[in-house]
Amino acid sequence: MHRDTLIHLLREIRHLEEKSVISDEFRDISGNDMRIIEAIGLDAPRSMSAVARDLSVTVGTLTIAINNLVKKSYVRRVRSEKDRRVVLISLMEKGERACHHYRDFYDRLVQATLQGLDEEQAEVLIRALINLRSFYKNPDI
């Protein structure tokens, strides 16, 4: 019973997340693009290699997505003045709006998830999610 319920919930959550983070304003990008935008963040420009590392993807894979986001005016790409081999990426105004939208969605998701849980229940949920993350990092265990 728990197995089937959990499998169904995990699949449904993934599907609903994709639908929820893509509003009318951002329908020209995917949920994966939103995760990239959030990883770039609102602070100083970041190197492609740092963002790729945070997302656990290769720089080549990230480059393909960044090319698309540059074309759509979400991201700007420049060479570092200190080291011309380093490519820095940052969010343009449209990308900043998308980042705020994505982060707001997750703030509301966390509030909704923890609503009605006491501290002990929240701790159990956190431990379960950490176990889930551990499985995804090493599914052969």
Side-chain angles (χ1 to χ4, degrees):
M1 170 67 179
H2 293 299
R3 178 194 178 279
D4 293 341
T5 302
L6 189 55
I7 289 170
H8 177 75
L9 281 171
L10 290 170
R11 287 179 181 156
E12 188 175 13
I13 286 168
R14 180 70 175 180
H15 175 73
L16 291 171
E17 177 209 15
E18 289 288 326
K19 285 177 50 180
S20 296
V21 297
I22 303 302
S23 65
D24 285 343
E25 181 179 5
F26 307 114
R27 68 179 171 270
D28 61 336
I29 60 173
S30 68
N32 190 54
D33 291 332
M34 278 289 201
R35 286 184 280 284
I36 292 167
I37 286 168
E38 200 279 330
I40 294 168
L42 299 166
D43 299 323
R46 300 191 65 209
S47 71
M48 290 279 289
S49 57
V51 174
R53 189 173 40 254
D54 287 352
L55 294 168
S56 300
V57 299
T58 66
V59 173
T61 297
L62 181 62
T63 298
I64 294 165
I66 292 297
N67 289 343
N68 186 41
L69 291 169
V70 167
K71 282 183 207 168
K72 294 178 180 180
S73 300
Y74 284 89
V75 174
R76 88 176 42 86
R77 176 180 30 212
V78 297
R79 293 256 175 215
S80 168
E81 293 193 12
K82 292 179 183 174
D83 183 345
R84 302 291 295 161
R85 296 170 296 176
V86 175
V87 175
L88 300 174
I89 50 179
S90 60
L91 299 179
M92 298 178 73
E93 183 180 331
K94 192 174 180 182
E96 289 175 356
R97 286 194 317 271
C99 188
H100 284 295
H101 171 74
Y102 187 80
R103 288 178 178 182
D104 179 60
F105 169 78
Y106 273 96
D107 287 345
R108 291 183 290 120
L109 181 138
V110 168
Q111 281 183 318
T113 301
L114 297 177
Q115 184 176 359
L117 299 182
D118 63 30
E119 190 64 31
E120 185 177 327
Q121 291 168 323
E123 289 296 324
V124 170
L125 175 62
I126 299 287
R127 281 196 309 269
L129 292 172
I130 288 169
N131 290 344
L132 183 61
R133 181 187 66 193
S134 295
F135 170 79
Y136 273 113
K137 285 186 170 192
N138 191 1
D140 296 328
I141 292 180

